[in-house]
Amino acid sequence: MKTKLKIKCGIDILMTFALLFLMGYQFWGEQAHEWVGAGMFILFILHHVLNRQWYKALFHGRYSLCVFIRPSLMCWYLFPCLRLCIVEL
């Protein structure tokens, strides 16, 4: 496995655990929730920086309806997440 792929997988795994940790707000308290949330924001940015080739290739070629829906849903999810991260800072 290439080093960049290992880093991408590691970031995805850390984001998954951070998200699970953030859902347990009542168990960990506000300060831990805020720190892990800030770390999740950094991981979110790193994830999109490392996967920028996906965005570059997004508008190349022809797409069927099924292939078009997936990136549309990804963008639909991306913008509220970014807005939420910025508002919470």
Side-chain angles (χ1 to χ4, degrees), residues 2-42:
K2 294 183 180 180
T3 305
K4 188 173 181 180
L5 185 59
K6 287 181 183 179
I7 293 171
K8 285 181 180 183
C9 288
I11 288 175
D12 290 344
I13 290 168
L14 286 173
M15 286 177 70
T16 302
F17 285 123
L19 185 61
L20 292 172
F21 184 87
L22 288 170
M23 285 191 268
Y25 173 78
Q26 65 273 17
F27 300 120
W28 317 119
E30 186 174 339
Q31 187 175 11
H33 180 81
E34 289 175 1
W35 279 102
V36 174
M40 178 84 173
F41 177 68
I42 292 168

